[in-house]
Amino acid sequence: MLAIDFLLEHKLLFTALIIVLISLIKQFIISTIRGDVAFLSDVQRKWMSRTKNSIFILTIMILFMLWQTEVSKFALSVTAIAIAFVIASKEIILCFTGSIQRASSRSFVIGDWIEVGNIYGQVIEHNLMATVIQEIDLENGQYHFTGKTATLPNSMFFTYAVKNHNFMKRYVYHHITITVAQFVNLYPLFPELTTKIDGYCEDFIEVARRYNGVIEKHAGVDLPGSEPHIHVTSGPTGEQNVNIMIFCPTERAIELDYQIRQDFMEAFQQRFHAQPKS
């Protein structure tokens, strides 16, 4: 009793002890969840995030109960300062409300691939103030992690649309554009090129069709399909752009991109730049 009375009389010391104790408990729980693995799974990330958020809320509640009397007196005596504080903390309030908006709309969860503004990445943590993502080079069609970590304030969700690219973790609509400066008839090259692309996709095409159907059912829209598509468009200065789209496993997109470009260039070279016989 004497110790409790002493701590209640010295609230700053009591507050410090509470924060230290809660921090130690949080570190113990986080270490237990993490274990000895080198790479965290999505389930581990979710539980770590839930633990951090729950402990943060618990800490705020305990400290508020401890300092409730002082806070009430302060709020009553400095109303004008409180109003100024609210105005000055607008960004913090937007972060809190952005977190509520994310949770209510279920726009993404930990492990999803998302796009916010011009930032792409996999969500590894989110809390009341910010969302942390591992950046992915989706903009350049590479689908690999860049090694950079981006922390997005939740207020961004009111400014930028959040695009969920989670289905791209397994399969992706990969677009290939090849520019041809000459104005020649390219269509005779396409039957053979399509046959080669079909050969590259043969080992996964059935799975791709099923996965494409799952995405269509989930999204409720008619998607392009799992078969390769080839079409030609014209550029502003008369060049021809050969546009190829394939639906393939994400980890194989770069490999297939290289093979298809090589096949097209070899066919183009053979047809239009063959050396004349002497």
Side-chain angles (χ1 to χ4, degrees):
M1 292 298 294
L2 292 175
I4 294 176
D5 292 339
F6 175 80
L7 291 174
L8 290 176
E9 289 179 5
H10 300 79
K11 291 187 178 181
L12 286 176
L13 177 61
F14 196 15
T15 300
L17 290 175
I18 290 173
I19 293 175
V20 170
L21 179 61
I22 291 177
S23 298
L24 291 174
I25 293 173
K26 183 181 74 171
Q27 290 299 324
F28 173 76
I29 296 174
I30 294 297
S31 299
T32 303
I33 295 172
R34 183 181 182 89
D36 297 327
V37 297
F39 301 101
L40 295 174
S41 66
D42 288 344
V43 174
Q44 287 176 305
R45 294 186 192 278
K46 289 179 182 177
W47 278 108
M48 289 172 69
S49 179
R50 290 169 183 167
T51 300
K52 291 178 181 178
N53 292 337
S54 300
I55 291 178
F56 175 77
I57 294 172
L58 179 63
T59 304
I60 295 297
M61 292 175 61
I62 292 174
L63 294 181
F64 178 79
M65 293 172 62
L66 179 63
W67 292 90
Q68 183 177 6
T69 304
E70 288 76 4
V71 170
S72 299
K73 292 179 180 179
F74 178 78
L76 291 173
S77 61
V78 289
T79 304
I81 297 177
I83 295 174
F85 176 77
V86 170
I87 296 174
S89 60
K90 180 182 70 172
E91 190 68 23
I92 296 176
I93 295 172
L94 284 174
C95 287
F96 275 107
T97 52
S99 176
I100 295 172
Q101 186 269 345
R102 178 206 59 78
S104 60
S105 64
R106 299 181 179 271
S107 53
F108 61 85
V109 296
I110 289 178
D112 283 357
W113 287 13
I114 64 170
E115 173 188 349
V116 183
N118 60 349
I119 302 175
Y120 306 80
Q122 177 174 318
V123 180
I124 60 173
E125 182 181 348
H126 58 69
N127 52 49
L128 295 176
M129 296 299 295
T131 297
V132 183
I133 65 173
Q134 286 283 357
E135 191 177 60
I136 301 172
D137 191 15
L138 291 182
E139 188 173 10
N140 297 317
Q142 298 298 307
Y143 316 109
H144 60 70
F145 291 99
T146 64
K148 301 176 184 177
T149 301
T151 302
L152 312 178
N154 291 336
S155 58
M156 289 183 66
F157 302 149
F158 292 110
T159 307
Y160 300 99
V162 179
K163 300 180 181 179
N164 194 312
H165 298 285
N166 194 44
F167 80 91
M168 294 174 61
K169 291 177 69 174
R170 290 189 58 197
Y171 276 77
V172 64
Y173 286 105
H174 184 69
H175 298 266
I176 305 169
T177 301
I178 305 172
T179 301
V180 179
Q182 296 176 251
F183 191 79
V184 293
N185 183 10
L186 299 173
Y187 285 90
L189 304 178
F190 295 163
E192 184 179 355
L193 181 63
T194 301
T195 301
K196 289 186 177 181
I197 296 174
D198 289 338
Y200 297 144
C201 301
E202 186 177 4
D203 60 323
F204 61 79
I205 190 63
E206 290 301 325
V207 177
R209 290 194 182 106
R210 291 196 297 270
Y211 193 68
N212 184 265
V214 170
I215 298 171
E216 286 184 330
K217 185 176 180 181
H218 178 75
V221 294
D222 184 19
L223 298 176
S226 55
E227 286 70 25
H229 300 270
I230 303 176
H231 68 279
V232 179
T233 57
S234 297
T237 57
E239 70 274 11
Q240 298 185 92
N241 295 316
V242 180
N243 302 283
I244 305 169
M245 185 185 72
I246 57 174
F247 188 66
C248 63
T250 304
E251 68 273 9
R252 292 185 57 184
I254 304 305
E255 170 196 346
L256 294 173
D257 186 304
Y258 174 82
Q259 292 175 327
I260 293 169
R261 288 179 185 273
Q262 183 181 34
D263 290 338
F264 177 84
M265 292 178 183
E266 288 177 353
F268 182 86
Q269 177 75 18
Q270 183 177 1
R271 183 175 183 84
F272 298 107
H273 295 280
Q275 294 294 329
K277 295 181 180 180
S278 56

